[in-house]
Amino acid sequence: MFYTFAFSFKMHFIMDDLSQDKLLTSSYILACLGNFLLFFGFYILMPTLPLYLIETFDISKSMVGVILSCYIVATLITRPFTAFFADMFERKPLYLWAYFFFIAVFISYPLVASVGLFLLMRILHGLAYGAVSTMGNTLIVDIMPASRRGEGLGYFGMASNMAMAIGPMIGLLMHDTTGNFNLIFYGAVLSGAIGFCCVSFIKAPKKQAKEKPTEPLSLDRFLLLKGMRAGFCFLLLAIPYGMTTTYVALYGKELGITGGMGFFFVLMAVGLLISRFFSGRLVDRGLLTKVVFVGSIIVGITLLLFSGIKELMFLNQHFLMFLFYFVALMLGVGYGMMFPAYNTLFVNLAPNNRRATASSTYLTSWDIGIGIGLILGGYIAEHTGLSIAYFVGSILALISSFTFNKWVAPHFNKYKLR
C-alpha cells in the first residue's frame, strides 16, 4: 500500500499537469482572502476571551468553558438548515448575510454587561459560524473548476490554517502590550469588515433551475446519507484533534515544558500548509482514498509517539522537546492531507444541488468529533492522565484508517458521482 502510494506520488508529479482549467481566478483569490480575514478575526479572540470573562465578570474557569463551548452546539444546530437553504437559493447573497452577521456579533462583545448576555452572544456567534462556514465551503466549490477541486479546497483551507497560526499569537500580543480588550474586539471587527468587502466582489455562477431541489422534504435534504460512513471515520479523527488542541498546554506542563505552546501550534499549522501543496493534487489525480488512508495512519502513529513521550523523560530534555514539536509538525501533515481529501469525498458523493448538504455533513462530523474530544479528553486526563488520552486518540485514528480502507473506500468508489 505504501509502496503504491509513493510510486503514484512520484509518477504524477513527473507528468505534466494535463488540466488546463484555471484555478487562481480573481473570485477564487478573493474567497480565500475573505476566508483568511474572517478566521483571523475569530482566532485573535480565542486565547483572550477566557481572560476577558475572568477579569470582567470574575467567574470560574469551569463556567468559562461552558460559555465558550456553547457556540459548538449552536453551530451543529444551524448547519443542516443552512445547507438546506443554500441548496434552495442563490448562495452568494446568503453567504454575505451570514458573513455580516458573524462580524456584527464581534461588535456586541464589549457592549454586554452580564454573563447571561455574553452567553446569548456566544450562542448567536455559533449560529453565525455554522452558517458562514457552511456557505463559504459551498460557494468555493461553485467558483472553482471541478477538475482541480481537491487542490482548490486545499488552498482554501490553507487560508484558515494560516489564520489559526497567526491569530492567537497576535491576540495574545495585543493583550500583553495594551491590556485593552476593546482594541482586540474591534481589531476582529476590522479584519472581518475588510474580508466582507473582499467576498462582496466574488462572481458566483447563478443557480440553474434544474439544480434546485424539487423533491419533497426528507432527511437527505439536511444530511448527506451516502456520506454517513465517511462521516463516522472523519468523526473518529476529530476526537484526538480536539484533545490535542485543547489539552496540549497541560500535557506540556506534565512533561516539564512550560513555554513555547504557541510554537507548537505554529508548527502544526506549518505541517498543514506543507501538506496542502501536494495532497490536493493527489486527490485530483484519483488518489483520494489513498491520501485519506496514509494521512490517518500518519496521525495514528504520531499520536502513539505523543502518548509515549512521558515514558522517555529519562532521556535528554532537548531531545524530549524535539519529539514534542516534531509531533506538532507531523500531526499538521497528517490532518492537512485528510482535510481536502475528505471534503472532496463528500462533494463527489453529492449531486450539484446537494453541495451545501455535503459540506454541512462534512463539517458537522468534524464538529461532533471535536466536542467528544473535549469531553473525553478531559475525563480521561482527570482519571488516568493525558498520556492515556492521547493513546486512546491514536487507537481511534488507526481504527478510522482501517475502517475507511475496508468499509468507506469501496462504498465511495461505487457511489461517487465524479
Side-chain angles (χ1 to χ4, degrees):
M1 174 67 71
F2 283 97
Y3 176 81
T4 302
F5 182 83
F7 178 76
S8 300
F9 177 90
K10 180 179 179 181
M11 291 303 296
H12 282 302
F13 274 85
I14 291 175
M15 294 173 60
D16 291 333
D17 188 357
L18 300 179
S19 173
Q20 299 300 317
D21 294 326
K22 187 177 181 181
L23 176 63
L24 299 180
T25 62
S26 59
S27 291
Y28 178 82
I29 293 172
L30 288 170
C32 290
L33 184 58
N35 194 46
F36 169 79
L37 292 168
L38 177 78
F39 282 97
F40 177 79
F42 181 77
Y43 280 115
I44 64 172
L45 293 183
M46 286 290 284
T48 55
L49 278 180
L51 301 173
Y52 174 76
L53 288 170
I54 292 173
E55 294 180 20
T56 304
F57 301 109
D58 192 27
I59 60 177
S60 66
K61 293 181 180 179
S62 60
M63 188 62 183
V64 169
V66 171
I67 293 174
L68 296 183
S69 63
C70 281
Y71 90 95
I72 296 178
V73 178
T75 297
L76 293 175
I77 291 173
T78 194
R79 275 216 173 108
F81 298 100
T82 301
F84 173 77
F85 286 112
D87 285 332
M88 288 292 295
F89 305 105
E90 296 292 337
R91 287 162 184 154
K92 181 184 173 182
L94 292 174
Y95 180 52
L96 292 178
W97 276 110
Y99 203 118
F100 178 81
F101 185 49
F102 188 82
I103 301 168
V105 180
F106 282 134
I107 302 175
S108 68
Y109 279 152
L111 303 178
V112 297
S114 68
V115 175
L117 282 175
F118 196 95
L119 179 63
L120 176 61
M121 291 301 104
R122 193 64 179 166
I123 293 173
L124 291 176
H125 219 172
L127 295 173
Y129 177 78
V132 74
S133 57
T134 302
M135 292 290 183
N137 210 61
T138 306
L139 185 64
I140 195 67
V141 175
D142 291 342
I143 62 178
M144 72 171 71
S147 62
R148 304 184 69 178
R149 183 168 291 152
E151 185 182 3
L153 287 172
Y155 294 142
F156 181 72
M158 187 187 296
S160 57
N161 296 147
M162 291 176 64
M164 181 190 75
I166 300 172
M169 295 177 62
I170 298 299
L172 288 172
L173 180 64
M174 293 173 69
H175 175 265
D176 293 341
T177 55
T178 68
N180 189 332
F181 287 106
N182 287 350
L183 184 63
I184 300 172
F185 288 131
Y186 293 130
V189 173
L190 177 62
S191 177
I194 297 173
F196 182 81
C197 293
C198 291
V199 299
S200 298
F201 290 99
I202 292 175
K203 296 179 181 178
K206 295 291 183 182
K207 184 182 290 291
Q208 302 297 320
K210 64 179 180 180
E211 293 182 358
K212 298 179 181 180
T214 56
E215 311 94 285
L217 285 178
S218 64
L219 182 61
D220 201 38
R221 298 283 294 274
F222 298 91
L223 289 172
L224 185 67
L225 298 183
K226 287 195 297 183
M228 290 295 100
R229 294 189 182 196
F232 172 74
C233 290
F234 197 44
L235 182 153
L236 291 180
L237 289 163
I239 293 174
Y241 189 91
M243 291 180 181
T244 303
T245 55
T246 305
Y247 301 110
V248 69
L250 295 177
Y251 192 47
K253 288 183 178 180
E254 289 184 10
L255 300 175
I257 303 173
T258 57
M261 287 302 104
F263 189 56
F264 182 94
F265 289 105
V266 169
L267 282 177
M268 195 170 178
V270 168
L272 286 163
L273 296 177
I274 291 172
S275 63
R276 294 301 171 91
F277 286 108
F278 63 86
S279 59
R281 291 188 176 187
L282 292 174
V283 168
D284 289 334
R285 286 163 176 149
L287 299 176
L288 187 153
T289 56
K290 292 182 175 63
V291 170
V292 170
F293 178 72
V294 173
S296 55
I297 287 289
I298 290 174
V299 169
I301 294 175
T302 302
L303 286 169
L304 189 62
L305 172 64
F306 202 39
S307 67
I309 287 182
K310 199 170 185 179
E311 305 302 321
L312 303 174
M313 291 184 67
F314 64 91
L315 297 176
N316 184 281
Q317 183 70 15
H318 294 294
F319 179 69
L320 187 70
M321 291 187 65
F322 168 79
L323 286 179
F324 188 80
Y325 291 120
F326 175 75
V327 163
L329 182 67
M330 293 308 298
L331 282 178
V333 171
Y335 278 109
M337 290 176 66
M338 289 183 292
F339 287 149
Y342 263 109
N343 201 348
T344 304
L345 182 150
F346 280 91
V347 172
N348 287 354
L349 283 173
N352 290 339
N353 61 2
R354 291 285 189 277
R355 284 177 178 172
T357 303
S359 294
S360 172
T361 307
Y362 161 77
L363 294 169
T364 298
S365 300
W366 183 254
D367 285 340
I368 293 174
I370 291 292
I372 294 174
L374 295 177
I375 298 170
L376 183 63
Y379 179 82
I380 295 175
E382 184 176 349
H383 290 84
T384 60
L386 281 168
S387 60
I388 301 299
Y390 290 123
F391 176 76
V392 171
S394 72
I395 298 301
L396 292 176
L398 293 173
I399 290 174
S400 175
S401 64
F402 289 104
T403 302
F404 180 89
N405 200 43
K406 297 296 184 182
W407 189 46
V408 179
H411 178 269
F412 169 73
N413 289 327
K414 181 179 179 179
Y415 291 104
K416 65 182 179 180
L417 300 179
R418 57 189 72 85

